[in-house]
Amino acid sequence: MADEIKALSSQLAQDPDSLLFLRLGELLRQKGHLDAAHRVALTGLERHPHLADAHDLYARILADKRDYERAFDEWDMTLRIAPGHLGALKGLAFLYFKVGDVQQAAVHLEAAQRVAPNDSGVIQALALARAGGTGAAPEQPIAPTPAAQPLEEARVFAGLEGAHEGLLLLDAAGRVLGGALKDPQGRDVTDAVAAYLAGVSQEAGRTAKLLGLGAWSGLAAEGKLGHIHLTPPSADALLLVVRDRSVPMGRLAIIAQRAAGAARRWLEQQG
């Protein structure tokens, strides 16, 4: 973890606008370096004030520092930006438990369960709330859904072109669900790219809605060394496809469409 913190700090220094601050801030929080995590989160918020995950990160740090009033404000802001944000619903439920308002804790946990029906932390806390709060209330924010470990690519993208490289499936919080990415030098950049893309799907959806374009279905971009295609296989997931310039954009869209179909079927099976 220390090496990852050092690497992320270096990358963030080179690109201060990067969303890598989300991963760095969370790692620092987990290590108990709350002052450093606080600085990282606050700096990130200044650059990305409308990013729900940034407010959620800041709220978790504030809660760890026992600044519950400000944590409440940050989680409330998170839900204003992204209604149904799982981390904010869990966080507010925790705060309501802290003040003894079990009814409101249950309301937020029920909303969280609709978002993540298989989340064990939500299930346990909701059972406690429905029992009237008898027993030990949580002493810390209800644990976020554990970061998913990268899956064997074949399980998600079996039989697809480039199944073992150049495909990345992640959830709305930037956690890797499957696939892998490497830079031109062959270095694994899966986690860094996933952290950078955290919240992109939600932002794209809101932008399309504000512009009256309906639901967004994809985004393509050309680079000097290659092309990328982003598409949401589900409301809570994002698929990134990367290919070199020898692959025409039209073919890239077809590859992305097929990969999105495979990802969608896999996600439905997991649900």
Side-chain angles (χ1 to χ4, degrees):
M1 185 179 288
D3 288 342
E4 186 176 2
I5 288 174
K6 184 177 180 180
L8 288 171
S9 298
S10 176
Q11 293 174 54
L12 192 59
Q14 295 174 17
D15 182 8
D17 289 326
S18 168
L19 295 185
L20 289 175
F21 79 91
L22 293 169
R23 176 63 177 162
L24 176 59
E26 178 60 17
L27 287 176
L28 289 167
R29 186 188 74 84
Q30 292 175 9
K31 290 283 287 183
H33 303 319
L34 298 183
D35 289 340
H38 187 278
R39 289 193 295 272
V40 169
L42 196 56
T43 301
L45 263 178
E46 290 172 352
R47 294 180 178 276
H48 305 279
H50 305 298
L51 183 62
D53 286 340
H55 288 277
D56 177 45
L57 169 64
Y58 191 37
R60 292 199 304 274
I61 296 167
L62 291 170
D64 284 355
K65 293 168 73 73
R66 301 185 183 276
D67 190 346
Y68 298 130
E69 184 175 349
R70 292 173 64 197
F72 184 98
D73 290 341
E74 289 300 320
W75 272 317
D76 181 65
M77 179 59 70
T78 303
L79 289 181
R80 291 175 185 272
I81 297 171
H85 191 285
L86 182 59
L89 291 169
K90 289 181 176 182
L92 288 173
F94 158 73
L95 293 180
Y96 279 118
F97 265 123
K98 292 291 290 184
V99 299
D101 191 340
V102 179
Q103 183 177 359
Q104 276 299 314
V107 168
H108 285 77
L109 288 168
E110 287 167 355
Q113 191 172 48
R114 289 193 290 272
V115 176
N118 298 319
D119 189 298
S120 60
V122 172
I123 293 171
Q124 294 170 11
L126 186 54
L128 174 64
R130 286 173 173 168
T134 56
E139 289 300 322
Q140 57 184 350
I142 301 163
T145 304
Q149 295 301 313
L151 302 168
E152 185 180 341
E153 291 79 2
R155 292 176 58 188
V156 183
F157 303 120
L160 295 180
E161 177 184 337
H164 298 284
E165 186 177 328
L167 292 172
L168 181 64
L169 178 66
L170 55 145
D171 68 12
R175 289 184 284 265
V176 177
L177 300 178
L181 295 176
K182 294 182 179 180
D183 67 10
Q185 285 72 46
R187 294 171 297 194
D188 188 291
V189 293
T190 302
D191 290 336
V193 172
Y196 190 84
L197 291 175
V200 165
S201 183
Q202 293 176 351
E203 293 297 329
R206 282 193 289 271
T207 300
K209 184 177 180 180
L210 287 171
L211 293 173
L213 301 177
W216 81 290
S217 60
L219 175 66
E222 297 185 25
K224 292 182 178 179
L225 299 179
H227 307 311
I228 64 170
H229 194 290
L230 283 169
T231 189
S234 74
D236 300 314
L238 186 67
L239 172 70
L240 173 65
V241 182
V242 181
R243 292 293 184 270
D244 62 38
R245 288 187 62 86
S246 66
V247 179
M249 292 298 290
R251 178 166 177 73
L252 181 62
I254 294 173
I255 294 172
Q257 184 180 37
R258 291 174 177 170
R264 190 178 304 112
R265 289 190 293 273
W266 182 86
L267 290 166
E268 289 172 352
Q269 293 172 0
Q270 304 309 303

